[in-house]
Amino acid sequence: MQTCADNVCCVLPYARILVYRYVMPAFPITPSTEIPQMVSNYIANGEINTEFIPVESEHSSMSAAIGAEAAGARSLTATSSAGLALMWEELLLAASNRMPLVLALVNRTLSGPININCDHSDSMGARDTGWIQIYAENNQEAYDNFIQAYPIAENPAVHLPVMICQDGFITSHAVENIELLEDKEVKDFVGEYEPKEYLLNPGKPIAVGPYSATHYAMEAKKNQEIALENAKDVILKAAEDFARLSGRKYGLFEEYRMEDADYAMLIIGSAAGTAKQAVDELRGKGMKAGLIKLRVFRPFPAKELAEALRSVKALAIMDRCESYNGNGGPLGSEVTAGLYRNKVMIETVNYIYGLAGRDFTVEDACGVFAQLEDAALNGKEIEQYQYIGLRK
Amino acid sequence: MSNYSLKEMMNKPERLAPGHRMCAGCGATIAVRAVLRALHEGDRAVIGNATGCLEVSSYMYPYTAWEDSYIHNAFENAGATLSGVETAYRALKKRGKLPADETFKFITFGGDGGTYDIGFQSLSGAMERGHDLVYVCYDNGAYMNTGIQRSSATPMFADTTTTPVGSQSSGKMQNRKDLASIIADHDVPYAAQTTFTTDFKDIHAKSEKAIYTEGASFLNIMAPCPRGWRYETSDIMKICKLAVETCYWPLFEVDHGKWSLSYEPKKKLPIEDFLREQGRFRHLFKSGNEDLIAQFQAEVDRRWDDLLYKCNRYK
């Protein structure tokens, strides 16, 4: 067992996994900059033999990653915020061309105003690009998710790109102890990459990226959607295999003290740690509080979430992202639709918190639970869509 | 290249199959076939392609006209996409995942829209990083796929759908960008400008050099478009000849920093001879527009003089 505790925890594990990736194009952007830097250092010192392409933009990093993956080489890239936004067109192409590549996303808010801190507006904006999205609460999870990304992406029933998301600065630059697997364990888990069809297959040329007229394009899109649905089982299977290797268990989401919970909070990423603290404190005071931390946002586990929430009295849906639709955040919209479709008619409140790095505290989380209780016990009308921690 | 024989070349197996949907009299497929003929027998290739006429007409699902592996990604990123493919080749070779005796070459095609304009950054990046690939621009001087809109490759005064000739307009107001020179100034090992000559020797020699020179190479090929330029489809070779003989489209190369002229007309023809054949310049021949032609001629002369200077041929 190796452990690591310094301020490049986010980067070191990625770089170690790179031993098994062949090509990495990347363009630096805060707060994911250290990833290409560390990779370059590893290469400069002969520690890994990954090919690094210092592209001139993020659009080109995703373009080159697609080219490399299509050619038959495992590839990955890393980015944040505006970098992901610049890749937008290519995110769609990576998914629709069914490229099983991996993107390490260090979440940062989108401009404007320009700001380098965390929220989920970058990845949430890309939620419908066809990528699998897996979120992490801490560096251990980011590392574990990253390793599991390979067998998920490359599974023949899926063959889709995977975005591994973690919170910029809050976890990416945090000093944390994490457990690393041995290189050989990772290598065995990830396996050799043996694509069936690729550009550099001698004597078996292929063509990638067709023009498709109306009579074929719709089927291509439906097939892509089926692949994303298939990913759910594949993600769970990868988690099972990973648990056998590491002892660490993962699902589509994590349920924390939910067994008999009356009041639940649904949250993504690092703020789950803060909210768990609040749950513990409230439990100590007799409130049946619980939490669900969503790990897999795409494919969206609507049915599974609805079942897990069926018996709660009220639910707080926490969005670290404003989606400018006048109807709440992205998680709020998806969850309420999922609950309705599965006939789970519970009280919900959609909170927007932590935008552009605004702190989210244990007190904030306790306040949310207090509002839920007030609504459920006293029938108080609660604003369905509200911000936490705004300046007055 | 030694003992070039057009007949022999034309008997090589085609790497772009017939049945694609490009227009009759289109320069793009002539350019593609000429470039691919320069691949040595036994060498494999991966072809890249920016979005454009060539892409939408040659790989229409479920049919492809390409005998080699082919990748189209998007409009503005053919340079970056092929950078990834070429890097993957090196990675796979290094790891013994490709037989040592297998050779792949990397050639990407883009129109002037995908090359001069929207794909310029991606092209510049790929050239600067020095990937072992060839970027071929088939330059037809406008966005033909979307319906003849001006590009930065469109010559001055051309009538296009976004620079229409009207009572207050004589067509495009600006001169064309000199992309071959700009890429040559990236200090790439090889950059050249060519078009179709009667024996196709110039384009063949330059393609072969571009493909087999290690590092990033660039070819700018004037590839006329009958729809946009408005000429009779059978006149394409005549148009190309006039472009060269008027010095509108000089043939030159820059080999490891050394500029050289590939052809110098014995008698430079007046630019009218090139312009007159094309509907997009018809308005220049209305009486009262003589000064526009004079202006066009002055620009051709200025650029030709500049090229002679770079090629150390200035008298």
Side-chain angles (χ1 to χ4, degrees):
Chain A
M1 184 77 67
Q2 304 173 55
T3 61
C4 143
D6 62 34
N7 62 357
V8 288
C9 260
C10 69
V11 178
L12 182 71
Y14 287 148
R16 292 191 72 92
I17 299 165
L18 271 169
V19 177
Y20 316 107
R21 300 305 275 193
Y22 308 161
V23 178
M24 177 175 185
F27 188 83
I29 180 167
T30 305
S32 57
T33 317
E34 283 84 350
I35 298 176
Q37 280 178 356
M38 287 294 288
V39 168
S40 302
N41 267 322
Y42 277 117
I43 294 170
N45 294 305
E47 290 174 53
I48 57 175
N49 66 350
T50 298
E51 306 292 330
F52 179 66
I53 314 179
V55 284
E56 80 297 333
S57 75
E58 288 89 351
H59 192 283
S60 283
S61 67
M62 188 48 67
S63 302
I66 290 171
E69 191 76 43
R74 266 184 177 145
S75 60
L76 87 164
T77 185
T79 196
S80 298
S81 185
L84 190 73
L86 186 58
M87 280 180 192
W88 229 256
E89 178 195 33
E90 289 302 302
L91 294 176
L92 296 159
L93 283 158
S96 60
N97 281 315
R98 309 292 296 277
M99 297 295 161
L101 48 89
V102 176
L103 168 69
L105 182 77
V106 182
N107 283 103
R108 165 185 157 186
T109 192
L110 287 175
S111 296
I114 186 167
N115 174 292
I116 58 168
N117 296 300
C118 174
D119 67 36
H120 298 156
S121 52
D122 47 5
S123 55
M124 282 297 162
R127 65 191 181 275
D128 294 337
T129 53
W131 283 60
I132 292 165
Q133 284 190 343
I134 305 179
Y135 290 79
E137 178 185 332
N138 50 43
N139 282 310
Q140 184 70 63
E141 290 186 8
Y143 172 74
D144 292 349
N145 289 343
F146 204 81
I147 295 172
Q148 292 170 65
Y150 300 79
I152 296 166
E154 292 167 7
N155 186 296
V158 178
H159 239 267
L160 286 172
V162 178
M163 196 179 291
I164 297 299
C165 310
Q166 76 172 108
D167 287 351
F169 291 116
I170 301 171
T171 62
S172 72
H173 288 61
V175 178
E176 277 190 287
N177 277 311
I178 73 166
E179 291 179 3
L180 301 177
L181 296 170
E182 298 296 335
D183 283 353
K184 188 177 176 314
E185 290 177 307
V186 177
K187 193 171 188 177
D188 290 346
F189 184 82
V190 168
E192 272 296 311
Y193 186 42
E194 305 288 354
K196 278 199 184 128
E197 293 171 322
Y198 53 105
L199 296 169
L200 294 171
N201 196 357
K204 292 178 182 165
I206 61 162
V208 176
Y211 175 79
S212 174
T214 314
H215 52 300
Y216 285 112
M218 195 157 166
E219 283 70 23
K221 289 175 190 295
K222 179 58 188 170
N223 285 337
Q224 188 185 330
E225 193 276 329
I226 291 169
L228 192 68
E229 281 184 38
N230 292 343
K232 222 184 257 182
D233 286 343
V234 175
I235 289 167
L236 291 173
K237 171 73 171 54
E240 234 173 75
D241 295 343
F242 189 78
R244 268 198 298 278
L245 175 68
S246 67
R248 294 188 289 276
K249 294 196 171 97
Y250 292 97
L252 300 171
F253 47 82
E254 178 196 331
E255 295 181 66
Y256 185 76
R257 305 190 81 166
M258 282 295 293
E259 319 77 59
D260 58 345
D262 286 332
Y263 307 106
M265 177 181 282
L266 177 65
I267 198 160
I268 296 175
S270 63
T274 309
K276 282 174 185 171
Q277 177 73 28
V279 167
D280 290 345
E281 285 180 17
L282 294 170
R283 283 272 176 178
K285 292 175 186 163
M287 183 197 272
K288 287 183 177 175
L291 174 140
I292 294 181
K293 179 182 78 192
L294 192 59
R295 175 174 177 249
V296 177
F297 186 78
R298 285 288 181 267
F300 191 70
K303 204 170 169 187
E304 293 82 351
L305 277 176
E307 284 318 309
L309 293 164
R310 192 170 284 281
S311 54
V312 307
K313 289 182 177 143
L315 169 70
I317 307 166
M318 310 298 291
D319 265 298
R320 193 165 207 147
C321 173
E322 170 55 80
S323 72
Y324 304 111
N325 62 18
N327 190 40
L331 186 59
S333 303
E334 302 247 355
V335 174
T336 48
L339 292 174
Y340 180 82
R341 195 176 288 173
N342 290 284
K343 313 222 168 349
V344 176
M345 301 304 177
I346 56 172
E347 281 293 327
T348 64
V349 185
N350 189 189
Y351 295 90
I352 309 290
Y353 75 100
L355 302 189
R358 178 72 48 98
D359 253 359
F360 177 69
T361 63
V362 175
E363 292 70 40
D364 291 330
C366 288
V368 166
F369 279 105
Q371 273 202 332
L372 293 184
E373 192 179 43
D374 211 12
L377 283 187
N378 309 323
K380 194 177 173 205
E381 284 276 320
I382 308 286
E383 209 183 321
Q384 291 287 296
Y385 162 42
Q386 52 173 292
Y387 273 57
I388 294 176
L390 266 189
R391 282 171 176 277
K392 298 285 183 236
Chain B
M1 188 190 59
S2 55
N3 304 323
Y4 173 83
S5 148
L6 178 63
K7 196 174 165 193
E8 221 171 86
M9 279 304 147
M10 290 302 172
N11 284 328
K12 282 181 83 169
E14 289 283 353
R15 297 175 92 132
L16 182 76
H20 57 73
R21 294 146 199 241
M22 298 290 271
C23 301
C26 163
T29 48
I30 300 173
V32 168
R33 289 165 56 221
V35 171
L36 297 185
R37 275 198 298 276
L39 277 162
H40 294 167
E41 217 169 305
D43 284 355
R44 304 185 192 281
V46 177
I47 311 297
N49 200 175
T51 308
C53 289
L54 181 65
E55 182 271 323
V56 300
S57 306
S58 66
Y59 181 21
M60 189 183 257
Y61 187 83
Y63 305 108
T64 177
W66 301 88
E67 300 287 352
D68 295 286
S69 267
Y70 169 91
I71 180 167
H72 156 251
N73 189 344
F75 193 7
E76 70 283 52
N77 60 357
T81 304
L82 217 64
S83 297
V85 176
E86 185 266 350
T87 306
Y89 175 64
R90 284 187 282 115
L92 294 184
K93 275 263 172 173
K94 199 156 94 178
R95 288 158 196 256
K97 285 183 163 272
L98 270 176
D101 58 348
E102 285 290 350
T103 301
F104 276 85
K105 293 291 172 185
F106 304 95
I107 305 167
T108 195
F109 295 96
D112 47 291
T115 308
Y116 282 67
D117 291 345
I118 199 168
F120 184 59
Q121 172 184 313
S122 176
L123 165 66
S124 176
M127 293 286 117
E128 183 272 335
R129 291 189 300 272
H131 295 275
D132 192 7
L133 55 80
V134 186
Y135 193 109
V136 181
C137 177
Y138 67 95
D139 179 349
N140 53 27
Y143 307 152
M144 301 309 185
N145 191 40
T146 43
I148 318 165
Q149 294 85 27
R150 64 91 83 185
S151 77
S152 64
T154 305
M156 187 180 260
F157 302 132
D159 181 22
T160 75
T161 54
T162 49
T163 57
V165 171
S167 64
Q168 307 299 310
S169 160
S170 303
K172 194 193 175 199
M173 297 296 289
Q174 302 82 11
N175 282 311
R176 52 176 289 276
K177 196 193 266 181
D178 183 2
L179 189 61
S181 299
I182 293 167
I183 300 301
D185 284 345
H186 280 61
D187 212 15
V188 293
Y190 188 73
Q193 181 160 292
T194 183
T195 188
F196 318 133
T197 54
T198 1
D199 61 359
F200 278 76
K201 191 173 169 183
D202 191 71
I203 194 169
H204 182 85
K206 285 171 179 167
S207 301
E208 192 178 30
K209 237 183 195 179
I211 295 167
Y212 290 97
T213 295
E214 203 182 324
S217 296
F218 178 76
L219 286 180
N220 201 22
I221 304 176
M222 191 190 80
C225 167
R227 300 259 298 110
W229 295 19
R230 284 178 269 152
Y231 59 85
E232 288 300 321
T233 55
S234 53
D235 284 348
I236 184 167
M237 294 305 288
K238 184 179 168 193
I239 301 265
C240 291
K241 190 177 170 60
L242 289 168
V244 175
E245 296 295 334
T246 56
C247 298
Y248 167 76
W249 194 264
L251 309 181
F252 66 92
E253 64 179 10
V254 187
D255 191 347
H256 292 89
K258 191 179 178 309
W259 289 70
S260 54
L261 267 188
S262 317
Y263 174 78
E264 189 169 357
K266 283 193 184 66
K267 184 177 174 292
K268 189 175 165 195
L269 294 180
I271 195 62
E272 286 99 316
D273 291 4
F274 173 66
L275 302 176
R276 198 178 293 112
E277 300 296 324
Q278 305 172 48
R280 62 177 172 160
F281 295 120
R282 186 163 299 140
H283 57 291
L284 298 184
F285 293 91
K286 280 190 184 150
S287 75
N289 280 347
E290 293 78 6
D291 62 313
L292 300 182
I293 292 182
Q295 231 177 292
F296 203 116
Q297 182 69 62
E299 181 60 16
V300 168
D301 293 346
R302 187 189 70 75
R303 289 188 180 212
W304 176 247
D305 281 354
D306 183 50
L307 182 63
L308 289 176
Y309 179 78
K310 284 170 172 165
C311 296
N312 217 10
R313 296 278 289 274
Y314 205 74
K315 290 156 197 160

